[in-house]
Amino acid sequence: MTTPHAIDVRNLHKSFGDNHVLKGIDFTIDPGQVVCVIGPSGSGKSTLLRCVNMLERPTEGKVFVEGVELTDPDVDIDAVRRRIGMVFQQFNLFPHMTALQNVMISQQRVLKRSKKEAEIIARENLDKVGVGAKCAARPAELSGGQQQRVAIARALAMNPDLMLFDEPTSALDPELVGDVLMVMRKLAEEGMTMMVVTHEMGFAREVADRVVFMDGGVIVEEGTPAQVIGDPQHERTRAFLRRVLHPEG
Ligand SMILES: Nc1ncnc2c1ncn2[C@@H]1O[C@H](COP(=O)(O)OP(=O)(O)O)[C@@H](O)[C@H]1O
Ligand SMILES: [Mg+2]
């Protein structure tokens, strides 16, 4: 038997009322691959990511994660979702809890780990993302970059097989972006399977195995970073890259 794709999306459509947002998306990610999804605002990138872990129900098409069809009505969505870590633009930490508690809570509630075990794993992961010294801090006492790294630690503590990132650095002050990208780069080097929606072209160029350019709910082109960012074939891709690479025109 061949190893299944980590993510396999087939003819995915999603509409919100009359708004046909995803218009037949096909793509796969293999275990250990890093795929960056780029494209203008409103092109459906977040919706695609949210369909991959069924935060949104596709209108049509199929989504498989590690060979399990999530669009099968009988599938145990929660079991599959547990294999998927998700990191959002907004960090969504609990404001009344410390960094340590934020990383422990789902381990205890969802994975039923003991408090002691959850704490050990939380500390390991906070160390790993470089905020081990901030265990006792509440989110308001942390910079945006530190909060996002706590959010990444929280996802990693659940031992996911793959990670989805939705513009993880877009809400950060420019000087804090690098620390978060460094953590993501390290994860990629360790072999984590990652689907990353981002406007960070430097990161996409250096870390991605594949870049997918979306516009208007379709994949316009995809390929290696050298192909899609270095030598785009479609005018829509070129126009987008001009805007992100030279925002001041
Ligand atoms: N939950 C929702 N309900 C209604 N419309 C939505 C919802 N989520 C996204 N949309 C619409 O889908 C389109 C694509 O949005 P989105 O996937 O967020 O794009 P992107 O992440 O590329 O900026 C937009 O027109 C947006 O208004
Ligand atoms: Mg988005």
Side-chain angles (χ1 to χ4, degrees):
M1 226 184 82
T2 52
T3 324
H5 297 296
I7 299 172
D8 184 351
V9 172
R10 301 185 194 165
N11 189 34
L12 183 71
H13 289 257
K14 175 67 182 177
S15 297
F16 296 102
D18 293 340
N19 189 3
H20 194 178
V21 173
L22 298 179
K23 301 172 181 165
I25 301 280
D26 289 281
F27 84 99
T28 60
I29 302 181
D30 285 328
Q33 276 193 330
V34 177
V35 174
C36 284
V37 180
I38 63 173
S41 178
S43 56
K45 306 180 299 296
S46 294
T47 303
L48 172 60
L49 217 60
R50 293 167 61 80
C51 282
V52 168
N53 63 1
M54 294 293 121
L55 290 175
E56 297 288 357
R57 274 237 151 243
T59 317
E60 193 186 321
K62 290 185 176 178
V63 175
F64 298 83
V65 168
E66 298 181 321
V68 178
E69 188 191 337
L70 291 194
T71 33
D72 176 345
D74 296 328
V75 81
D76 180 354
I77 294 276
D78 290 334
V80 183
R81 219 181 252 149
R82 247 168 257 157
R83 306 183 198 164
I84 308 174
M86 179 119 189
V87 174
F88 302 90
Q89 180 176 336
Q90 301 302 336
F91 327 120
N92 303 323
L93 299 175
F94 290 114
H96 60 288
M97 290 185 186
T98 64
L100 188 67
Q101 288 167 334
N102 265 286
V103 181
M104 289 171 62
I105 182 88
S106 288
Q107 298 187 59
Q108 294 173 269
R109 290 213 181 138
V110 178
L111 300 182
K112 309 295 178 203
R113 286 181 183 150
S114 70
K115 189 173 173 206
K116 195 172 164 194
E117 190 187 8
E119 180 169 341
I120 292 169
I121 294 169
R123 286 186 188 279
E124 278 171 9
N125 282 289
L126 287 164
D127 275 341
K128 178 176 172 139
V129 301
V131 289
K134 298 289 179 184
C135 284
R138 287 176 213 282
E141 300 167 297
L142 300 173
S143 74
Q146 290 168 334
Q147 289 183 61
Q148 189 59 298
R149 286 182 284 154
V150 172
I152 294 172
R154 174 181 58 185
L156 292 176
M158 304 297 281
N159 301 114
D161 293 346
L162 50 136
M163 294 274 288
L164 311 179
F165 293 86
D166 194 355
E167 298 198 30
T169 60
S170 294
L172 302 179
D173 291 333
E175 76 272 20
L176 304 177
V177 167
D179 291 339
V180 172
L181 292 181
M182 201 154 66
V183 166
M184 291 170 63
R185 182 188 299 255
K186 194 163 92 181
L187 272 182
E189 282 165 3
E190 288 172 2
M192 178 62 78
T193 308
M194 295 164 60
M195 179 172 175
V196 184
V197 175
T198 187
H199 294 291
E200 295 293 332
M201 293 302 137
F203 177 84
R205 226 184 246 276
E206 287 162 36
V207 181
D209 296 293
R210 253 172 43 244
V211 174
V212 170
F213 172 69
M214 279 181 72
D215 193 11
V218 299
I219 293 177
V220 175
E221 63 183 299
E222 66 170 289
T224 63
Q227 288 169 331
V228 176
I229 301 175
D231 184 25
Q233 298 303 301
H234 291 261
E235 179 47 35
R236 282 200 275 177
T237 318
R238 288 189 207 115
F240 170 76
L241 288 169
R242 273 197 299 274
R243 287 200 303 277
V244 286
L245 295 173
H246 312 286
E248 51 296 308

